[in-house]
Amino acid sequence: ARAAYRIWAPSYMTETATSFLDETLAREMLAGLPHRRLLDAGCGVGRRIANLPDAIGLDLSPEMLAAGGAQNVVSGDVREMPFPESCFDMLWCRLVLGHIADPLPAYREFARVCMPDGYLFVTDFHPDAVAAGHRRNFTDENGRVHEIEHYVHQDHIDLAQRAGLSLVVRQDGAVGESVRDFYAHGIGLEAFQRDLGLKLVAAFLFRRGPSSAPTD
């Protein structure tokens, strides 16, 4: 995945149907929640936090961080983050954990840096999309298609609970009229009709309790 994002970095700013659904879910599920101190773990180019002066982004790819040009970002791994305990009241990890074979260390890190009563918002490429033949891929500046390493995880809730986090709500983002134009300018409207109703993004909102601790 690190090598893939190094190649993708120059053209990454382009929105996709998956990233659009991810953003829609974030707006719906996080409305009204506090984010005085926010971490975007796996922030990519940092576009989601560009207008959030009190937010910090972290990403493993220095090329992605450089492409975004944001000042409030640091290079690092979500499984071993350079932050003290209990310093964020909101964490995002969006479309990242599917690139990791074992997300449990990441969930433990999220719980460690999350304040008591703070929130964690996680999204992932939906298992239904993988089962339907969709892949995590992109087209580079030369028109070559690259597939990114991806692992299917259907145990996010269990992993979060093992790290000391509890589920608040889960929602899915599916193909519908809101992403029709992405298909029209991409793989075509025939594919849109085929995928109508297919879940592309799974989203989870977790909360750390006032004295949460890992269960194992």
Side-chain angles (χ1 to χ4, degrees), residues 27-42:
R27 292 182 182 278
E28 292 175 355
M29 297 171 69
L30 302 179
L33 294 181
H35 51 79
R36 293 179 297 275
R37 183 71 169 164
L38 184 148
L39 171 66
D40 188 353

Side-chain angles (χ1 to χ4, degrees), residues 126-149:
H126 204 287
D128 286 5
V130 178
H134 287 253
R135 297 293 181 263
R136 300 290 298 273
N137 54 34
F138 68 95
T139 303
D140 66 21
E141 294 181 306
N142 298 315
R144 294 179 58 196
V145 177
H146 302 262
E147 185 172 336
I148 310 174
E149 181 180 25

Side-chain angles (χ1 to χ4, degrees), residues 8-17 19-20 45 47 138-139 182:
W8 196 2
S11 59
Y12 184 80
M13 284 292 189
T14 304
E15 191 85 86
T16 67
S19 64
F20 180 86
V45 294
R47 64 185 176 193
F138 68 95
T139 303
F182 291 101

Side-chain angles (χ1 to χ4, degrees), residues 6-212:
R6 174 179 55 79
I7 299 169
W8 196 2
S11 59
Y12 184 80
M13 284 292 189
T14 304
E15 191 85 86
T16 67
T18 301
S19 64
F20 180 86
L21 290 173
D22 169 270
E23 181 62 24
T24 300
L25 288 165
R27 292 182 182 278
E28 292 175 355
M29 297 171 69
L30 302 179
L33 294 181
H35 51 79
R36 293 179 297 275
R37 183 71 169 164
L38 184 148
L39 171 66
D40 188 353
C43 67
V45 294
R47 64 185 176 193
R48 301 190 197 97
I49 58 172
N51 298 314
L52 299 175
D54 295 324
I56 295 177
L58 175 138
D59 200 271
L60 189 60
S61 170
E63 293 84 5
M64 291 287 282
L65 296 176
Q71 300 301 308
N72 55 335
V73 295
V74 296
S75 180
D77 193 318
V78 297
R79 294 165 293 188
E80 191 174 356
M81 298 190 289
F83 306 114
E85 295 182 6
S86 304
C87 59
F88 299 102
D89 63 351
M90 174 67 73
L91 289 87
W92 297 344
C93 187
R94 297 163 62 175
L95 301 174
V96 172
L97 294 182
H99 296 317
I100 300 173
D102 178 12
L104 182 57
Y107 271 109
R108 286 178 170 151
E109 274 291 88
F110 299 149
R112 182 184 68 81
V113 302
C114 186
M115 294 178 183
D117 293 319
Y119 293 90
L120 166 66
F121 178 65
V122 170
T123 61
D124 197 3
F125 198 54
H126 204 287
D128 286 5
V130 178
H134 287 253
R135 297 293 181 263
R136 300 290 298 273
N137 54 34
F138 68 95
T139 303
D140 66 21
E141 294 181 306
N142 298 315
R144 294 179 58 196
V145 177
H146 302 262
E147 185 172 336
I148 310 174
E149 181 180 25
H150 179 76
Y151 302 90
V152 176
H153 300 303
Q154 303 195 55
D155 55 351
H156 284 286
I157 297 172
D158 176 64
L159 291 170
Q161 289 175 340
R162 290 170 63 185
L165 302 161
S166 58
L167 180 69
V168 177
V169 64
R170 173 186 175 163
Q171 289 184 216
D172 296 320
V175 175
E177 287 300 320
S178 68
V179 297
R180 182 187 182 94
D181 285 348
F182 291 101
Y183 276 83
H185 295 99
I187 58 177
L189 291 179
E190 183 176 339
F192 172 76
Q193 292 298 328
R194 178 200 66 208
D195 289 348
L196 201 59
L198 178 67
K199 298 171 183 176
L200 294 186
V201 180
F204 307 84
L205 181 63
F206 300 106
R207 190 172 190 180
R208 178 186 169 186
S211 57
S212 298

